[in-house]
Amino acid sequence: MTAAAPAPVDHTRLLEQLADVLGPAGVLTAADDIDPFCTDWRNLYHGRALAVLRPADTDALSAAVRLCVAHGVPMVPQGGNTSMVGGATPDDSGREIVICMSRMNHIRGIDPHEMTMEVEAGVPLKVAQDAARDAGMMLPLSISSEGSAQMGGVLATNAGGNNTVRYGNARELVLGLEAVLPDGEVFHGLRRLRKDNTGYALRQLFVGSEGTLGFITRAIIQLQPAPKEVEVALCAVGDAQGALALFSAFRALDPALIQAFEYMSGTGMALVNELIPGAALPLEQPAPAYVLVELATPRPDANLREFMEGVLADAMENGIVTDAVMAESEGQRTNLWKLREEHAEAQKRAGASVKNDVSVPVSRVPELIARATRACEELIPGIRPAPFGHLGDGNIHFNLVQPTDMSGDAFLARAHDIMDTVADIVRDLDGSFSAEHGVGQLKPYMMAEWRGGAELATMRRIKAALDPLNLMNPGKIFPPATSVPASAPASGAA
Ligand code: MLT
Ligand code: ZN
């Protein structure tokens, strides 16, 4: 005997009510309009959605959430759709509604004395950065996807990126926050206070919650003075140990000057050179590994260049750095950064790849890279480890590109073996399986193993208290209650 399929639910009434609240432009239901919202940047997930909502402001979103809750319809918030872990993609049930934040895209003010910016969730990060720069300041958060990524998503995932080494993750930049809660109530926390010890710091609950506890609508961001002197160098090093030694050399002299300290493997750099138009390595010889270091200061008379030249000269004398080039102009700075920023794109073009966004204590980065490289090469001969990332804060993207003599599908069928191999080493080094990309729908199965016991139980209690119907971004972060590891993802890993 076969069980009867559940009768499809008719959502006509809900969609009519949503159109009343959001206006006709605020509710998309045609397949062609919805499709782009149902696939992630990496092409790992292909979901379906009942509709895409485009609220123009917080009140409209609040009303829409109340309606979805009344009809028991799950909601998936989506900003720039740049998640590496499927965090903003609906499942394939066709029951979920995507909430697109793009119309909430105003910068509501910049205060030069407080050095703060008030932004709405749908403002692209790059637009916010540019506005800060035009006001003579800097928004110190920089990620490869900043042209598309939106502030709401950046905060909801506690994005890290290139400047974490100096300014911290998104979490550290948020003074105040507004969010729509799972019952449609609005959390009004748009305060701009450096000191505010009035109970729990609720804003921090939403930062990094990946849209599972509330949808961030507005935020007050702490800005920094605009740099007056900036120096960027690309350095060839023998290995990650050399890169760490160079980091320590800069840090010992003046940690406050290090704006970014990025590591790149020779393999990853070769892919960028080969596959990204306009990218060209400005060194005489390719090297086993590279560092891109950026120093910056708001002081106009700091002689940063002299300082950087001195550290690099010492490092060359000691054999830590074998070759180096310093940017002579803003154009050259952009070109050097391009070699780093295009790593993810080059790896996408190189075929199938498995990503491991991991972190370890900074002193253990060389061991992570050496051990994980060896272990993955033993696991799959011909595999191309191409680790890169934010060495200064211990976050390495231990990405692996398929062997040239293996099909992409055959390689991706081994994704879990690869992830587990890397994860075992990361755990041994007291690291984390998700440094800055989040858990999304790719890695909930790891949560039980890594964050089990009281930690996951506490998270579940918080989730149940705020979202008892589990309607806000379900299927993200949390493994099913009776968790067994999910089967291997269709492709790749982050
Ligand atoms: C980066 O730092 O470029 C991103 O996190 C991308 C990636 O991990 O592939
Ligand atoms: Zn990164």
Side-chain angles (χ1 to χ4, degrees):
M1 204 176 98
T2 18
V9 182
D10 181 5
H11 286 299
T12 314
R13 180 77 192 115
L14 169 63
L15 295 173
E16 283 169 4
Q17 290 173 321
L18 287 167
D20 284 347
V21 165
L22 302 177
V27 184
L28 308 179
T29 51
D32 283 356
D33 294 337
I34 291 182
D35 279 355
F37 296 88
C38 295
T39 301
D40 63 317
W41 180 78
R42 296 183 61 200
N43 227 4
L44 294 185
Y45 296 99
H46 305 279
R48 294 189 304 131
L50 181 61
V52 174
L53 306 185
R54 302 174 65 244
D57 57 34
T58 303
D59 288 346
L61 176 58
S62 161
V65 168
R66 283 182 207 276
L67 285 170
C68 291
V69 171
H71 288 258
V73 169
M75 297 155 279
V76 179
Q78 193 176 105
N81 200 10
T82 59
S83 173
M84 295 276 178
V85 290
T89 313
D91 67 16
D92 60 6
S93 68
R95 290 177 56 240
E96 298 185 339
I97 278 188
V98 173
I99 312 261
C100 161
M101 308 301 276
S102 304
R103 284 172 81 196
M104 299 172 66
N105 60 358
H106 301 101
I107 293 176
R108 302 181 71 103
I110 295 180
D111 188 308
H113 299 294
E114 294 167 2
M115 301 188 76
T116 55
M117 173 187 283
E118 182 177 336
V119 279
E120 293 182 352
V123 174
L125 173 55
K126 177 80 171 63
V127 171
Q129 290 170 346
D130 289 349
R133 197 201 46 224
D134 293 348
M137 287 172 273
M138 175 180 62
L139 196 167
L141 193 103
S142 163
I143 56 180
S144 301
S145 56
E146 61 202 20
S148 316
Q150 296 175 2
M151 290 306 295
V154 160
L155 298 175
T157 57
N158 187 26
N162 307 329
N163 300 149
T164 299
V165 61
R166 178 147 164 193
Y167 303 101
N169 289 350
R171 186 182 295 294
E172 276 99 327
L173 310 180
V174 179
L175 286 181
L177 205 72
E178 178 190 85
V180 173
L181 298 171
D183 60 359
E185 280 262 357
V186 178
F187 163 70
H188 294 287
L190 273 181
R191 293 188 283 267
R192 50 188 74 223
L193 305 172
R194 294 301 307 173
K195 289 188 170 176
D196 179 22
N197 282 349
T198 49
Y200 303 152
L202 289 179
R203 68 182 187 283
Q204 295 295 0
L205 208 52
F206 303 104
V207 179
S209 72
E210 302 187 37
T212 62
L213 298 179
F215 298 157
I216 294 170
T217 46
R218 276 153 70 176
I220 309 280
I221 305 293
Q222 180 70 65
L223 304 177
Q224 294 292 331
K228 298 279 185 324
E229 288 189 22
V230 181
E231 296 295 341
V232 175
L234 179 73
C235 310
V237 292
D239 54 19
Q241 194 65 55
L244 177 65
L246 185 61
F247 177 62
S248 296
F250 277 110
R251 188 149 75 162
L253 289 168
D254 198 341
L257 291 177
I258 306 172
Q259 186 104 321
F261 197 95
E262 298 284 308
Y263 173 85
M264 291 157 284
S265 69
T267 307
M269 185 67 96
L271 291 175
V272 172
N273 257 302
E274 188 191 332
L275 301 172
I276 302 294
L281 183 69
L283 300 173
E284 273 179 23
Q285 298 285 334
Y290 304 88
V291 163
L292 188 131
V293 55
E294 177 169 301
L295 305 181
T297 171
R299 285 182 46 194
D301 54 354
N303 288 328
L304 213 49
R305 194 168 182 87
E306 210 176 288
F307 173 72
M308 190 182 242
E309 280 169 351
V311 177
L312 293 182
D314 283 352
M316 288 178 92
E317 210 173 298
N318 298 338
I320 295 170
V321 169
T322 52
D323 196 3
V325 57
M326 281 176 69
E328 302 285 345
S329 64
E330 196 168 337
Q332 285 184 11
R333 279 211 304 265
T334 307
N335 286 342
L336 291 186
W337 266 110
K338 185 181 169 88
L339 296 170
R340 160 62 186 89
E341 293 287 25
E342 295 288 356
H343 264 61
E345 181 61 33
Q347 290 175 12
K348 197 174 173 185
R349 293 181 189 192
S353 65
V354 172
K355 290 175 184 279
N356 296 277
D357 166 43
V358 299
S359 62
V360 293
V362 70
S363 64
R364 295 181 146 186
V365 167
E367 190 180 346
L368 164 73
I369 291 177
R371 283 175 63 184
T373 298
R374 218 166 32 238
C376 291
E377 284 172 348
E378 271 165 26
L379 187 71
I380 301 180
I383 197 170
R384 288 175 286 169
F388 68 100
H390 321 292
L391 184 144
D393 57 55
N395 172 198
I396 293 297
H397 303 301
F398 198 87
N399 296 358
L400 300 120
V401 183
Q402 66 173 88
T404 48
D405 59 355
M406 191 177 195
S407 81
D409 286 346
F411 179 63
L412 292 174
R414 306 291 306 277
H416 267 202
D417 292 343
I418 298 169
M419 286 166 75
D420 291 347
T421 300
V422 175
D424 283 350
I425 296 164
V426 170
R427 181 187 288 247
D428 197 38
L429 297 173
D430 297 326
S432 168
F433 70 89
S434 175
E436 62 170 8
H437 293 173
V439 179
Q441 58 182 300
L442 183 60
K443 299 184 176 177
Y445 79 97
M446 288 193 173
M447 286 293 282
E449 207 182 315
W450 286 69
R451 299 284 180 261
E455 195 166 352
L456 185 56
T458 305
M459 289 191 213
R460 282 196 198 279
R461 273 146 76 186
I462 294 169
K463 170 72 172 169
L466 267 76
D467 184 18
L469 301 176
N470 192 24
L471 295 179
M472 283 209 156
N473 218 6
K476 315 291 163 43
I477 297 184
F478 294 96
T482 52
S483 168
V484 285
S487 56
S491 57

